[in-house]
């Protein structure tokens, strides 16, 4: 009953004027779903996972196509798939505009098949030792969602209060516009009133001041939890609760809403991952981990641009600074950072977590084509291989850093074979959604016959990246030090990024040469587990070494 006590506490904070009976009936409705004794053999699986994110259709048409690629993913070493939005949607924001929370898009299911296709896929992925998480946009829906279609009918419609309506577009004036240069206001007129939207004007924000919205979203999460989904990426989490005269980000009640989700999931079946997507500074993001009672994990947003900055500068300072405990606080037991180089979005340079000088430097160093700009200088829409100008040594250096620094790594589909920006796909998407969203440049379809051909050629970019990345993952999977170990930077010339990770009786040392010149290799005793060269005197430009230094039995 511990979760019930937590739920009551949160309920009273969120809805002090609502009778407790409403919560009691909700909790009662959960009874038939409960499976609290299910014990996952590996409750903290997300700490040691290797995550791969993909759009099912762009990756390989549909779930049958994805199923056929499970051996490929397993061979790469993937242990968790993050399925980018798969639920019913008009697809104007690549599926983050959900119009039906209870069904998988028919084009992903395939003609003549039913929803069993999806549960069959879940079971098959699990047989391959691959867990599944997916996106639920909890902050907003599509303007085609039945809740919204009802809501817009009249002011006294029962669904009116699912969204935020106002006579004027003046409320929450301190909330910044996130899609700068694409949207001009957070309000959109529909009928006699305006509705509030933090993202596109076809994505009305949900109103969590209405407890029905909270229950409705809980039911969505529970539904997919029952089908076997291992976790949810909580999209756009900082914006859930709005308070007048504030920036409407990271509000105290937003955290209570998230804690409520967590307690509900734990009450029904413990161990379902909640992953926070909060583009904020680490000290704000750790708030989403609570005391281990909110999300299990959160993306480390500022580390990502700083890995790019360090490579461009040939200097490790920016990584050391961002991971210093004064910037990245310790996180509660049982929680984890998720790290990434690239994802389905732009290389984000939001001013909430990079300084103006860093933003300008990274933009200048990596936005090689003005077409890649996103949000007026606050982001770059480009794939990893494009940003690194197709230089395999730089790409692998970046992967080596991500895979050896603390956190659970996320690989974006196609980046393991050097996939490039796709202008034709971007143009197709702009025609469909009517917005100049350059992020579609990094989305594009996989061309598997071409990939197979490239992988057959030893010197191709695809093969160089794929084989080295696979080797890194293989080594990573042989020790828990990667997902769990402590971090200690070595005091050494700043062209090198050198650090130790320690976990129980294991100690590993990692050395990265960020400069364009070979450098003297520091003296380290141990077993070389991985490295882009065996010469021990020098470490080549952009080279890396993974060394197991001690194993005390
Ligand atoms: C998240 C997604 C992004 C989407 C936005 C609005 O930031 O990563 O792709 O556009 O939420 O749903």
């Amino acid at each position: 009953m511990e979760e019930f006590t937590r739920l009551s506490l949160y309920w009273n904070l969120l809805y002090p004027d609502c009778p407790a009976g409403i919560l009691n009936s909700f909790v009662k409705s959960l009874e038939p779903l409960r499976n609290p004794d299910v014990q996952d053999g590996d409750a903290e699986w997300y700490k040691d996972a290797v995550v791969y994110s993909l759009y099912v259709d762009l990756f390989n048409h549909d779930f049958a196509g994805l199923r056929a690629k499970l051996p490929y993913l397993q061979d790469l070493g993937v242990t968790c798939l993050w399925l980018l939005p798969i639920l019913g949607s008009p697809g104007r924001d690549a599926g983050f505009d959900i119009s039906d929370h209870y069904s998988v898009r028919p084009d992903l299911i395939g003609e003549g098949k039913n929803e069993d296709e999806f549960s069959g896929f879940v079971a098959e992925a699990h047989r391959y030792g691959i867990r599944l998480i997916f996106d639920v946009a909890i902050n907003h829906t599509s303007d085609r969602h039945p809740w919204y279609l009802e809501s817009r009918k009249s002011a006294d419609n029962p669904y009116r209060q699912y969204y935020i309506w106002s006579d004027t577009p003046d409320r929450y004036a301190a909330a910044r516009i996130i899609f700068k240069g694409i949207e001009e206001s957070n309000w959109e007129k529909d009928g006699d009133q305006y509705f509030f939207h933090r993202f596109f004007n076809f994505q009305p924000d949900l109103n969590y001041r209405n407890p029905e919205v909270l229950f409705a979203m809980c039911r969505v999460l529970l539904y997919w939890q029952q089908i076997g989904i291992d976790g949810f990426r909580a999209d756009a989490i900082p914006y859930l609760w709005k308070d007048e005269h504030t920036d409407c980000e990271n509000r105290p009640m937003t955290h209570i809403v998230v804690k409520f989700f967590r307690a509900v999931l734990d009450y029904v079946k413990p161990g379902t991952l909640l992953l926070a997507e909060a583009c904020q500074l680490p000290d704000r993001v750790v708030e989403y981990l609570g005391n281990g009672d909110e999300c299990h994990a959160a993306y480390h947003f500022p580390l990502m641009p700083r890995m790019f900055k360090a490579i461009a500068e040939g200097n490790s300072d920016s990584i050391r600074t961002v991971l210093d405990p004064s910037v990245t606080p310790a996180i509660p037991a049982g929680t984890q950072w998720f790290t990434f180089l690239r994802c389905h979005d732009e290389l984000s340079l939001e001013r909430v977590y990079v300084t103006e000088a860093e933003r300008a430097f990274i933009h200048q160093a990596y936005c090689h084509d003005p077409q890649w700009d996103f949000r007026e200088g606050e982001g770059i829409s480009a794939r990893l291989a494009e940003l690194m100008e197709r230089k395999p040594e730089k790409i692998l250096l970046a992967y080596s850093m991500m895979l050896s620094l603390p956190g659970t790594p996320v690989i974006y589909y196609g980046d393991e074979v050097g996939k490039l920006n796709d202008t034709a796909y971007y143009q197709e998407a702009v025609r469909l959604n009517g917005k100049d969203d350059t992020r579609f440049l990094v989305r594009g379809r996989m061309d598997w016959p071409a990939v197979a051909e490239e992988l057959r050629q030893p010197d191709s970019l695809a093969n160089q990246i794929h084989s080295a990345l696979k080797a890194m993952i293989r080594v990573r999977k042989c020790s828990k030090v990667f997902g769990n170990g402590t971090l200690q930077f070595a005091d050494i010339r700043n062209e090198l990024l050198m650090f130790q990770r320690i976990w129980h009786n294991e100690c590993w040392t990692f050395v990265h040469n960020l400069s364009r010149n070979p450098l003297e290799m520091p003296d380290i005793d141990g077993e070389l587990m991985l490295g882009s060269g065996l010469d021990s005197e020098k470490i080549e430009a952009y080279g890396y070494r993974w060394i197991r230094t001690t194993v005390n039995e």
Side-chain angles (χ1 to χ4, degrees):
M1 279 327 255
E2 196 240 332
E3 282 87 14
F4 184 68
T5 315
R6 273 156 64 194
L7 286 171
S8 305
L9 175 75
Y10 305 148
W11 176 261
N12 291 331
L13 288 168
L14 290 167
Y15 311 112
D17 301 331
C18 287
I22 301 183
L23 174 69
N24 295 344
S25 332
F26 172 70
V27 174
K28 221 170 178 176
S29 74
L30 306 180
E31 250 355 282
L33 305 177
R34 284 193 80 200
N35 212 342
D37 301 328
V38 172
Q39 281 304 325
D40 190 322
D42 184 10
E44 294 188 355
W45 61 269
Y46 46 88
K47 288 190 166 185
D48 302 301
V50 175
V51 184
Y52 186 96
S53 84
L54 56 82
Y55 294 99
V56 176
D57 52 342
L58 303 177
F59 186 70
N60 204 23
H61 310 294
D62 54 17
F63 277 104
L66 179 53
R67 198 189 262 240
K69 287 284 171 206
L70 288 172
Y72 168 86
L73 294 166
Q74 189 186 49
D75 175 63
L76 183 61
V78 171
T79 62
C80 174
L81 281 185
W82 154 20
L83 304 176
L84 283 150
I86 59 170
L87 302 183
S89 164
R92 295 183 70 193
D93 184 19
F96 285 98
D97 45 336
I98 297 176
S99 55
D100 179 358
H101 285 107
Y102 288 101
S103 69
V104 172
R105 269 167 33 216
D107 59 305
L108 305 182
I109 293 293
E111 225 169 287
K113 298 180 182 163
N114 60 26
E115 292 265 331
D116 292 345
E117 174 71 5
F118 181 65
S119 25
F121 170 76
V122 173
E124 186 69 359
H126 286 162
R127 270 195 289 281
Y128 273 83
I130 295 180
R131 306 207 189 227
L132 298 172
I133 62 178
F134 75 36
D135 272 291
V136 180
I138 49 180
N139 177 67
H140 45 262
T141 68
S142 156
D143 60 3
R144 312 274 175 82
H145 195 289
W147 298 340
Y148 182 77
L149 295 178
E150 282 300 311
S151 180
R152 69 189 292 277
K153 282 185 182 164
S154 67
D156 54 6
N157 188 285
Y159 284 91
R160 188 71 169 182
Q161 296 308 322
Y162 268 52
Y163 298 89
I164 301 162
W165 292 93
S166 168
D167 289 333
T168 66
D170 306 330
R171 288 170 62 202
Y172 305 131
R176 71 189 161 120
I177 291 169
I178 293 176
F179 283 159
K180 257 175 52 186
I182 305 180
E183 293 298 339
E184 279 167 8
S185 161
N186 287 326
W187 293 95
E188 183 72 15
K189 194 149 197 219
D190 191 1
D192 295 336
Q193 287 195 309
Y194 297 81
F195 68 81
F196 186 79
H197 61 92
R198 218 48 218 277
F199 293 90
F200 287 116
N201 62 355
F202 50 77
Q203 282 168 317
D205 274 35
L206 288 162
N207 175 20
Y208 279 92
R209 287 175 186 264
N210 174 1
E212 284 306 320
V213 169
L214 182 73
F215 291 155
M217 198 50 78
C218 286
R219 286 190 200 101
V220 168
L221 299 178
L222 292 167
Y223 176 81
W224 295 106
Q225 184 190 44
Q226 297 286 309
I227 291 195
I229 291 297
D230 301 288
F232 301 102
R233 173 179 179 272
D235 176 68
I237 208 169
Y239 315 107
L240 300 183
W241 196 276
K242 289 86 177 157
D243 284 312
E244 198 55 87
H245 308 302
T246 73
D247 62 4
C248 298
E249 299 186 23
N250 312 309
R251 302 305 301 153
M253 288 306 171
T254 289
H255 289 283
I256 305 297
V257 169
V258 182
K259 284 180 199 287
F260 193 94
F261 288 142
R262 169 72 182 267
V264 165
L265 291 171
D266 283 357
Y267 183 65
V268 171
K269 186 173 140 205
T272 304
L273 175 76
L274 260 187
L275 169 61
E277 191 232 0
C279 303
Q280 305 278 332
L281 276 169
D283 59 347
R284 296 322 296 260
V285 179
V286 289
E287 293 171 0
Y288 290 92
L289 304 173
N291 294 319
D293 56 357
E294 216 169 307
C295 290
H296 301 78
Y299 295 91
H300 199 310
F301 272 91
L303 174 61
M304 179 274 296
R306 283 181 178 81
M307 289 193 274
F308 285 94
K309 181 168 180 254
I311 295 176
E313 286 179 328
N315 184 325
S316 62
D317 284 352
S318 58
I319 293 179
R320 296 174 56 140
T321 313
V322 75
L323 292 178
D324 188 86
S326 61
V327 181
T328 298
I331 55 175
T335 63
Q336 177 70 309
W337 288 113
F338 271 39
T339 56
F340 62 107
L341 294 168
R342 286 299 55 255
C343 66
H344 64 293
D345 286 329
E346 78 286 7
L347 190 170
S348 165
L349 298 170
E350 283 204 31
R351 288 187 175 92
V352 281
Y353 60 79
V354 292
T355 63
E356 176 52 28
E358 284 165 335
R359 188 203 61 71
F361 174 81
I362 298 168
H363 199 273
Q364 215 260 325
Y366 286 101
C367 192
H368 308 305
D369 180 337
Q371 191 196 32
W372 301 354
D373 185 43
F374 185 62
R375 302 207 285 193
E376 301 180 337
E378 284 198 18
I380 308 168
S381 295
R383 284 216 169 235
L384 183 60
E386 298 277 20
L387 294 163
M388 299 299 191
E389 296 172 289
R390 308 178 196 192
K391 299 208 166 89
E393 64 282 5
K394 284 194 178 180
I395 295 171
L396 293 174
L397 173 68
Y399 270 127
S400 172
M401 294 197 295
M402 172 176 76
L403 286 157
S404 57
L405 285 167
T408 291
V410 183
I411 298 162
Y412 183 51
Y413 82 99
D415 280 355
E416 78 281 18
V417 288
K419 186 168 166 52
L420 301 174
N421 278 13
D422 189 334
T423 311
Y425 182 71
Y426 156 68
Q427 285 163 349
E428 186 184 318
V430 172
R431 268 196 304 278
L432 171 80
N433 80 6
K435 306 270 178 190
D436 186 12
D437 183 346
T438 57
R439 295 174 303 171
F440 281 101
L441 281 168
V442 307
R443 294 170 185 168
R445 299 180 180 87
M446 290 298 285
D447 178 350
W448 287 108
V451 169
E453 183 51 40
E454 284 176 55
L455 288 181
R456 271 194 290 274
Q457 295 166 21
D459 295 335
S460 68
L461 180 64
N463 192 50
Q464 289 183 65
I465 301 173
H466 188 265
S467 54
L469 178 61
K470 194 170 138 180
M472 288 183 209
I473 297 175
R474 197 182 321 113
V475 175
R476 184 183 161 98
K477 282 167 86 174
C478 65
S479 171
K480 281 206 160 230
V481 83
F482 292 88
N484 302 270
T486 57
L487 171 72
Q488 179 76 51
F489 288 109
D491 222 351
I492 199 163
R493 57 189 297 175
N494 57 20
E495 293 102 316
L496 291 179
L497 174 71
M498 173 165 154
F499 52 90
Q500 277 193 333
R501 309 278 319 271
I502 298 176
W503 172 246
H504 291 296
N505 54 5
E506 282 196 55
C507 173
W508 289 56
T509 303
F510 302 88
V511 190
H512 297 92
N513 181 359
L514 302 176
S515 86
R516 63 182 71 197
N517 303 310
L519 293 177
E520 197 178 316
M521 175 69 192
D523 236 353
I524 304 162
D525 275 342
E527 186 187 353
L528 183 71
M529 302 299 287
L530 205 68
S532 40
L534 292 172
D535 178 3
S536 56
E537 307 264 299
K538 295 263 180 204
I539 176 163
E540 68 288 356
Y542 305 120
Y544 54 88
R545 301 278 188 281
W546 295 13
I547 301 158
R548 188 156 57 179
T549 32
T550 48
V551 185
N552 304 321
E553 296 303 338

